Amino acid sequence: MKLILLGAPGAGKGTQATRIAEKYGVIHISTGDIFRANIKGGTEIGKLAKSYIDAGKLVPDSLTCDIVKDRLEKDDVKAGYLLDGFPRSLYQAEELSKFADIDLCLNFEVDTALIMDRICGRRVCACGESYHVSTLGGKTTCAKCGGELYQREDDNPETVKARLDTYNVMTAPLIAYYAAQNKLATVVCGTKTPDEVFEAVCEVLDKLD
Ligand code: AMP
């Protein structure tokens, strides 16, 4: 199973990706996580990516595509993978088609009015879990692994606004791109809980298996 997860920032892609990877035994590849790990490690890639991420812009296509291409050459992805946050532009999608044959693009449709609160209230754990402050009751550690929760640097109103603009201009055209290839399935998130969204996701993916 080779999947793409598409959706605006805050659509819940990361949460669903963790669950899909667990249930279907596919490798979760998040370009955002790769960039954040590089920033933390102080690498050249991290230094370059940081200025774009802080501004809510896309890291240059060529660098991003090279990272994904290298990652997809590793043995562990042979049984399947899901790309979370890649491709994010038509150029990236075209490049991807040269080195990967994707089965399905899962598009998470969210109400953009909800996104600002969702993202600015988001607290994440290094293990991949994420929470909303309103549900934490003052807790600062992850219920799954006990790790310390933190707020991503780019989860602030100004950067979120820029990320949404970037999504609308650069990434949203991918919906039509994959629909034209009959490779698109849309999950409408609305006010659904993560469990309910995951149920809808499984309905789609079980037909693929
Ligand atoms: P994410 O964790 O997916 O929300 O990504 C965080 C940030 O990393 C984005 O706002 C971009 O600046 C950068 N990024 C992640 N994936 C990509 C990509 N496929 N192309 C370009 N930039 C990306």
Side-chain angles (χ1 to χ4, degrees), residues 21-37:
E22 243 171 53
K23 176 163 179 186
Y24 295 91
V26 292
I27 300 286
H28 175 192
I29 300 170
S30 154
T31 39
D33 284 349
I34 293 172
F35 289 133
R36 281 185 288 278

Side-chain angles (χ1 to χ4, degrees), residues 8-9 109-118 160 164 167-168:
E109 199 177 285
V110 279
D111 181 351
T112 44
L114 300 175
I115 284 179
M116 193 54 85
D117 171 66
R118 263 201 189 193
V160 172
L164 278 170
Y167 170 80
N168 287 328

Side-chain angles (χ1 to χ4, degrees), residues 30-33 35-36 52-53 56-59 64 84-88 92 152 154 163:
S30 154
T31 39
D33 284 349
F35 289 133
R36 281 185 288 278
Y52 293 94
I53 293 176
K57 294 189 176 150
L58 294 187
V59 177
T64 310
D84 164 11
F86 182 92
R88 256 176 153 106
Q92 291 181 8
R152 272 172 47 173
D154 57 345
R163 285 159 69 195

Side-chain angles (χ1 to χ4, degrees), residues 101-116:
D101 192 13
I102 293 299
D103 298 310
L104 188 73
C105 173
L106 265 179
N107 172 39
F108 293 92
E109 199 177 285
V110 279
D111 181 351
T112 44
L114 300 175
I115 284 179
M116 193 54 85

Side-chain angles (χ1 to χ4, degrees), residues 1-3 24 102-106 201-209:
M1 193 185 274
K2 294 172 186 161
L3 302 173
Y24 295 91
I102 293 299
D103 298 310
L104 188 73
C105 173
L106 265 179
V201 166
C202 293
E203 250 177 58
V204 174
L205 296 185
D206 287 345
K207 287 185 201 139
L208 267 189
D209 253 355

Side-chain angles (χ1 to χ4, degrees), residues 1 3 31 52 66 70 73 78 82 86 97 110 116 124 127 139 145 151 154-155 162 167 169-170 181 198:
M1 193 185 274
L3 302 173
T31 39
Y52 293 94
D66 283 350
D70 284 352
E73 278 165 8
K78 295 272 184 290
L82 69 86
F86 182 92
S97 71
V110 279
M116 193 54 85
V124 296
C127 79
K139 287 199 196 79
C145 76
Q151 184 168 28
D154 57 345
D155 281 355
Y167 170 80
V169 174
M170 302 300 294
Q181 297 177 20
F198 188 54

